[in-house]
Amino acid sequence: MIKAVVEIRLKPGVLDAQGKAIEGVLDQYDVEGIEQVRVGKLVELRFATDKDIEAQVETLCEKLLVNHEMEDYHYTIEECGDE
Amino acid sequence: MIKAVVEIRLKPGVLDAQGKAIEGVLDQYDVEGIEQVRVGKLVELRFATDKDIEAQVETLCEKLLVNHEMEDYHYTIEECGDE
């Protein structure tokens, strides 16, 4: 089986509300030196075929998974067992 | 500057509502052979220090970022410029 892992992140400069919320409570957890927190999405697509995988992942990133005004994406394609 | 990238995924067997929603519309996008879609979170922590980073990341994963009943996590620590 083959798995595509798509990492979707907010573009630099776009306000990250989730990240800001985490930053706002860091002082309760005895941690220091964290300048910024950014939160993104991981989308894993498991394929039962190895036909046109890259083209299909691009189609889904372009048309369904990513908001291109606010987000960037990057993906890797890897073999995976039947985890 | 140093960055920790925490990948948070639902444990196998836990219902993934976002993944199911994406699976439900795949047929509108001329893709085939996708058996499963799983959606997780990416949390990036940018440190201005290099002191006790691993310990601090563990503290945040254990106490703040991860729901241990339903989620697993994995993280990497890497050098990063001032992107």
Side-chain angles (χ1 to χ4, degrees):
Chain A
M1 196 176 271
I2 292 180
K3 172 171 79 166
V5 180
V6 183
E7 297 181 3
I8 302 168
R9 291 178 168 83
L10 288 170
K11 291 179 188 276
V14 173
L15 173 66
D16 181 344
Q18 289 188 80
K20 289 292 177 216
I22 294 170
E23 287 172 17
V25 298
L26 288 179
D27 53 13
Q28 300 171 27
Y29 294 94
D30 190 25
V31 292
E32 57 175 35
I34 294 178
E35 289 214 331
Q36 186 185 51
V37 179
R38 301 282 287 178
V39 178
K41 279 177 284 186
L42 267 179
V43 179
E44 276 186 16
L45 306 165
R46 287 172 189 273
F47 288 83
T49 168
D50 54 11
K51 225 181 79 191
D52 304 330
I53 286 185
E54 190 140 357
Q56 297 196 70
V57 174
E58 279 293 339
T59 296
L60 291 176
C61 288
E62 287 304 313
K63 294 182 177 175
L64 175 63
L65 300 176
V66 180
N67 172 334
H68 298 283
E69 293 299 318
M70 299 175 61
E71 295 172 330
D72 290 322
Y73 70 94
H74 161 76
Y75 62 85
T76 55
I77 294 173
E78 54 200 62
E79 282 284 332
C80 71
D82 297 332
E83 308 143 4
Chain B
M1 195 177 272
I2 292 180
K3 172 172 78 166
V5 180
V6 183
E7 298 181 3
I8 302 168
R9 292 178 167 83
L10 288 171
K11 290 180 188 276
V14 173
L15 173 65
D16 180 345
Q18 290 188 80
K20 288 293 176 216
I22 294 170
E23 287 172 17
V25 298
L26 288 179
D27 53 13
Q28 299 171 26
Y29 295 94
D30 191 24
V31 292
E32 56 174 35
I34 294 178
E35 289 215 330
Q36 188 186 50
V37 179
R38 301 283 285 180
V39 177
K41 281 177 285 186
L42 266 180
V43 179
E44 277 186 16
L45 306 164
R46 288 172 188 272
F47 288 84
T49 169
D50 54 10
K51 224 180 81 196
D52 303 330
I53 286 185
E54 190 139 357
Q56 296 196 71
V57 174
E58 278 292 339
T59 297
L60 291 176
C61 288
E62 287 304 312
K63 294 182 177 175
L64 176 63
L65 300 176
V66 180
N67 172 336
H68 298 284
E69 292 299 318
M70 300 175 62
E71 294 172 332
D72 291 321
Y73 71 94
H74 161 77
Y75 61 85
T76 55
I77 295 173
E78 53 199 64
E79 281 284 333
C80 69
D82 295 332
E83 308 143 5

